[in-house]
Amino acid sequence: MQGQQIKFPENWGLVDALRATFSGASVKQGEAFFDHAARENYPLFLVDLVKVLSDEQQEEAVRQTAGVILKNKVRGKSLDRLVHLLKQWQRVRNDVQNQIREELKATLLSHNENVRRAAASAIAQFAIVDLQAGQWLDIIEWLTNVALDQERPLAQEAALTTLGYICENLVDMKIRLPAVRSQAHLILKCVFQGMRSQHGGVRVSAVTAMYNSIEFINENFKIPNERNAIIQVINENTQYPHIPEVRLKSMQCLIKIVHYHYEIIEEYMTKFKQITFHAASIDEEIIATQAIEFWNKIADKERKILKADDQHIRYLGLIAKHKNDLLGVIQKLMMNQNAYQTDNDMNRSASAGTCLSLISHIVGKEIINDISGYLFQNVTHQDWRVRESAILAFSAVIEGVKPSKKMNATCTEAIHKLLPYFKDEVMLVRDTAVFAVGRIAENHSDSIMENQAMVDLVVPSLAQALQDEPQVASKAAWSLTQIAKNVSDHKINNPLTKFLEPLIRDLLMRSDKNDSTEENLSLNLFECLESIISHAKHSSYQHLHDVVVKEVLNRIQAYSNMNPPNNQLITGLLTALEALITRLDVRINNYADAIMDLLMHILEKIKGVPRHYAYLCIGSLAVVIGKHFQTYLNRFVPLWFNDMKNFHAIEDCTITLNLIQDISSGLKGDFKILENDIMEIVMNHLTNRDIDASLKPIVVSAVSEIALGLEMNIVPYIRRICPILEYLSSYKANPDNEEDVDYMNSLRESILIAYSGLIQGPKLNPPRELLENLEGLRNLLQKVALDELTYSEVFATALSVIGDLANVYKNDVRQLLYDPFIDNMIAKGCANKEYEIYKEGRYARKERRALDPEQGNYGPPQHHQGGPPPPHHHQQGPPPHHGGPPPHHHQQ
């Protein structure tokens, strides 16, 4: 809740809160009630939830919600969380614990399927917590007994589901519990029996349990007889005729086996090929797509091995061995299109296209002649399905083939064949033809860009395709974007210059149509506009200045005045405006007043995403127009500061904090009038325990920019800042949680950047206050040096700070600079193959050696300005605007 106190009605009981939660009417209030109840009396809260879950007279949705809340209250997403839950659970009296366990077991036998499933999920979570503490040791035996009892099929279903959940959760949390592991054979026995049951529900539960257990039974896969039995029972169920869900889940089991046990599948490939080819050809659509996904998974796995991402796995070359049979099946499947399918439809035709794209990365060079021949032979076929599949096949493989003169010639010939089909009578053929040209521009741009005549042929055709239906127009915009992005990679003058004015007008006019919000069209139109502007040559600037700025501003104004405002179109146009500001640089000055007035209108009147892009535009404008930006401070600063203070609105707060660097860079010395006020906001955030954790690295990084600007005026803040930085440095990540490790490194890097600013800002008269608080920095540097979880960029920043310390404080920090762990860090940096670490290591060594001139300085001096700057506002804040590539119907 990010510091906000959510209140709930005083007359609420547990059922009221549950009902409000599942209905969606008062979710936040319901969550507040549950948190309050758990704090007030945790054992009673759990007991009450179990009672509601087990109450056969209560409405189903309330019971289900009680099960979800119960599960979440004991759910260990990480080992640290599990330790906390263990301590919390162990404080509950034994008799209460037993009451909860017995109620859950009884509920697992309920006649209501959804309640049984909720109970299964809750039991799995409680079992993991209990078994970790050496309690409830008989739960696995009880579940397996129930799962083997063929007289009670509903109970069998529930028990199998629970066993599957337990196995899955143990794997997800990377926990090894001997009490469960030792009974893996018994669990498998239950699953095997269930997968051969005559009761459909039991079979579905059993095959689902098998799917959830594939990684858990890793040891069993190492034993040939057991592995054979597992694969045999899965293969049998891929053919089960009565229930499609059984075949579907069995096919997903095979996919999971490829993922976790790729190295053992070669001996089973004959049978796997038979099963998957048959299902892909004649089974229901959803099962057919999973059969194709089996080959996608193999291709993806082998591609990673070849790229050395999985060096520890032996390359089996399964795609290469089976490519001829696979291509034959894929080409047939690709002719199962629906004339009106969209990019969001995933059928066997689209899946086959995806498969072909993946295998091209492994055998693309070997199959390109066959596929291009297939295109040239069939693109004129009378049957539109044959035409479209031939075009789709070519577009799928070209990414996997490395650029070459021969490939360029093939692509050039293909373009000549494809352009007439931009006007095919069937929309899907037009769509795929346009997409194929875009793929050529993306992956083999020389075939277009090295020949102005080809550009003159392709660009007008794509511009005309912009007027087609949204699905086709979206591909056309994306394809033009690929051409624009590749302009700078070629020696010829910008081949788009002659098309600049009509192309920009076409893009803007197409965005005005009512259907432009469909099929990601507006996003791709504006990304195309932004790319054309960003890659424009100097000769085009006057045109951009005279025409495009006015067009963009007028449209932003019009869309802003709508009721309600069209946020999607405003956002797209703001990305184009930012590109214009950056590209035109000082030439934008004539429009600065109009731009700033429009951006302030958006900030003052419009909520949501457009605000973030408005701030990005303001940052770019401040950098470009420099001190003239001071003209707008009276209107801008109150709103900027207000958003910066509002830590409840995380995205607004983030973007406004990241804006500090750009405003400072633009105003230069005049920024000092704002710095003390900004520093107070930052200090309030640093000391606020309610602030969202994701904001802390951004707030801390802001300290550096402000310190560099305030120079000696930062000194009064040092005694307040350093203890906070030291406290934040104590954060320790859960090594098994990748997001947590990312956060810890982000936080540490921002703290180091803040220290760099505090060192460099007042360096003309280095203050003693920092020396008095140096222990926190020393501890952080040592953590960075010794922690195996430290990222390379954090290590480089730490070396930079060491160099800054030596440069500014010299002999006052000699003892720290010659600490053995600092010696090791510098030596490691100077010997590192990563350039940034190497550079900062040399800088730190040079500055430290300067304290002892007789040692000399070795190597060329490194240009250095006191550590890396805080991230630019484009690197943090709202996610970047992306419109393409549009997900074609064979690429999901």
Side-chain angles (χ1 to χ4, degrees), residues 676 679-680 683 706-707 710-724 758 761-762 765 767-770 772-773:
N676 280 301
M679 195 66 201
E680 285 301 325
M683 290 302 302
I706 299 167
L710 283 174
E711 297 177 347
M712 293 309 300
N713 292 327
I714 192 66
V715 174
Y717 294 101
I718 289 178
R719 284 199 176 99
R720 294 169 59 191
I721 294 171
C722 285
I724 297 171
L758 294 175
N765 185 14
R768 306 297 300 175
E769 285 82 351
L770 189 63
E772 295 166 6
N773 291 273

Side-chain angles (χ1 to χ4, degrees), residues 80 689 696 700 721-734 740 743-752 755 775-784 787 789:
D80 285 346
R689 294 191 175 186
K696 288 180 181 177
V700 172
I721 294 171
C722 285
I724 297 171
L725 297 182
E726 183 173 4
Y727 169 75
L728 293 174
S729 300
S730 65
Y731 184 85
K732 187 176 181 181
N734 169 20
D740 203 22
Y743 176 75
M744 179 187 72
N745 277 281
S746 173
L747 184 60
R748 285 180 177 177
E749 185 173 23
S750 68
I751 295 168
L752 289 166
Y755 274 120
E775 189 63 21
L777 176 57
R778 182 193 182 281
N779 291 340
L780 176 57
L781 291 171
Q782 193 165 31
K783 287 174 185 173
V784 170
D787 195 339
L789 300 175

Side-chain angles (χ1 to χ4, degrees), residues 69 127 211 334-335 348 419 541 639 864:
I69 303 301
Y211 175 81
M334 290 172 72
M335 287 187 280
R348 69 189 79 211
L419 290 181
Y541 283 4
L639 193 146
H864 194 88

Side-chain angles (χ1 to χ4, degrees), residues 508-522:
L508 290 172
M509 289 176 65
R510 186 64 178 88
S511 72
D512 290 337
K513 293 186 178 181
N514 292 333
D515 63 0
S516 67
T517 56
E518 300 174 20
E519 301 292 338
N520 288 320
L521 175 54
S522 63

Side-chain angles (χ1 to χ4, degrees), residues 14 18 21-22 34 45-46 48-55 58-75 104 107 114-126 165:
L14 177 58
L18 291 168
T21 301
F22 81 73
F34 304 139
F45 179 52
L46 296 181
D48 287 345
L49 283 170
V50 173
K51 286 181 178 178
V52 173
L53 177 63
S54 62
D55 185 357
Q58 188 58 259
E59 58 187 298
E60 181 182 310
V62 171
R63 296 175 72 187
Q64 279 185 267
T65 307
V68 171
I69 303 301
L70 186 63
K71 174 198 71 174
N72 290 341
K73 287 301 175 185
V74 290
R75 186 181 181 191
L104 285 173
T107 308
N114 289 326
V115 171
R116 289 199 305 274
R117 189 175 292 114
S121 184
I123 288 175
Q125 296 297 339
F126 275 95
Y165 285 159

Side-chain angles (χ1 to χ4, degrees), residues 751-814:
I751 295 168
L752 289 166
I753 290 170
Y755 274 120
S756 179
L758 294 175
I759 294 166
Q760 291 285 338
K763 67 180 180 181
L764 294 179
N765 185 14
R768 306 297 300 175
E769 285 82 351
L770 189 63
L771 293 177
E772 295 166 6
N773 291 273
L774 206 58
E775 189 63 21
L777 176 57
R778 182 193 182 281
N779 291 340
L780 176 57
L781 291 171
Q782 193 165 31
K783 287 174 185 173
V784 170
L786 302 178
D787 195 339
E788 294 180 353
L789 300 175
T790 295
Y791 290 171
S792 58
E793 56 267 31
V794 181
F795 193 83
T797 306
L799 287 169
S800 169
V801 173
I802 292 169
D804 292 346
L805 272 173
N807 175 273
V808 174
Y809 281 94
K810 305 189 185 308
N811 285 310
D812 287 339
V813 291
R814 173 180 286 273

Side-chain angles (χ1 to χ4, degrees), residues 296-578:
N296 290 352
K297 181 61 72 173
I298 293 176
D300 187 54
K301 196 80 174 176
E302 295 195 335
R303 180 185 178 187
K304 288 180 179 177
I305 295 171
L306 291 174
K307 288 176 64 180
D309 289 346
D310 277 338
Q311 290 180 318
H312 62 289
I313 298 179
R314 182 170 66 92
Y315 175 62
L316 301 178
L318 299 175
I319 294 296
K321 289 176 184 176
H322 299 281
K323 75 174 189 302
N324 292 333
D325 292 340
L326 189 54
L327 284 176
V329 172
I330 285 175
Q331 286 178 338
K332 290 178 182 177
L333 293 174
M334 290 172 72
M335 287 187 280
N336 284 268
Q337 318 95 310
N338 179 332
Y340 301 102
Q341 70 186 45
T342 69
D343 296 333
N344 296 321
D345 294 333
M346 181 49 69
N347 52 29
R348 69 189 79 211
S349 168
S351 295
T354 301
C355 186
L356 187 55
S357 180
L358 287 170
I359 67 175
S360 74
H361 287 275
I362 300 168
V363 294
K365 188 177 180 180
E366 300 171 32
I367 65 174
I368 185 60
N369 288 336
D370 291 337
I371 298 298
S372 57
Y374 181 63
L375 168 69
F376 301 150
Q377 180 180 347
N378 291 292
V379 73
T380 58
H381 201 284
Q382 289 185 344
D383 186 339
W384 73 264
R385 285 187 169 82
V386 178
R387 293 200 302 275
E388 197 273 341
S389 68
I391 299 170
L392 179 57
F394 184 77
S395 72
V397 300
I398 56 177
E399 184 182 3
V401 184
K402 292 181 179 179
S404 66
K405 289 184 178 180
K406 182 179 179 182
M407 189 60 192
N408 285 342
T410 301
C411 288
T412 299
E413 185 178 359
I415 290 171
H416 284 289
K417 297 280 188 181
L418 291 169
L419 290 181
Y421 293 92
F422 283 19
K423 298 180 180 180
D424 195 277
E425 60 185 13
V426 179
M427 187 274 290
L428 192 62
V429 176
R430 300 197 301 275
D431 179 55
T432 307
V434 170
F435 179 72
V437 171
R439 294 273 282 179
I440 292 171
E442 179 186 29
N443 296 286
H444 300 279
S445 59
D446 284 359
S447 62
I448 299 174
M449 308 303 292
E450 290 297 316
N451 185 340
Q452 183 69 51
M454 281 298 293
V455 176
D456 292 348
L457 189 64
V458 171
V459 171
S461 298
L462 289 171
Q464 192 170 3
L466 288 172
Q467 308 309 319
D468 207 324
E469 296 178 47
Q471 184 168 324
V472 180
S474 187
K475 303 296 193 313
W478 175 76
S479 298
L480 285 165
T481 301
Q482 304 317 305
I483 293 175
K485 285 180 176 178
N486 281 292
V487 164
S488 58
D489 296 333
H490 297 271
K491 297 177 183 178
I492 62 173
N493 292 327
N494 187 339
L496 295 181
T497 299
K498 61 194 292 185
F499 301 108
L500 197 63
E501 182 173 353
L503 201 51
I504 289 174
R505 288 193 184 279
D506 285 345
L507 290 166
L508 290 172
M509 289 176 65
R510 186 64 178 88
S511 72
D512 290 337
K513 293 186 178 181
N514 292 333
D515 63 0
S516 67
T517 56
E518 300 174 20
E519 301 292 338
N520 288 320
L521 175 54
S522 63
L523 297 178
N524 283 307
L525 289 169
F526 293 129
E527 183 174 10
C528 183
L529 181 61
E530 186 268 338
S531 294
I532 290 172
I533 293 167
S534 296
H535 296 90
K537 300 291 185 182
H538 287 276
S539 58
S540 309
Y541 283 4
Q542 191 61 44
H543 173 78
L544 293 176
H545 182 272
D546 291 342
V547 179
V548 183
V549 176
K550 293 178 184 177
E551 292 277 4
V552 170
L553 292 179
N554 288 340
R555 279 173 168 77
I556 295 175
Q557 184 72 60
Y559 294 140
S560 301
N561 291 334
M562 287 182 176
N563 189 19
N566 192 321
N567 285 357
Q568 185 179 32
L569 296 180
I570 295 170
T571 299
L573 283 164
L574 286 174
T575 63
L577 178 60
E578 189 192 7

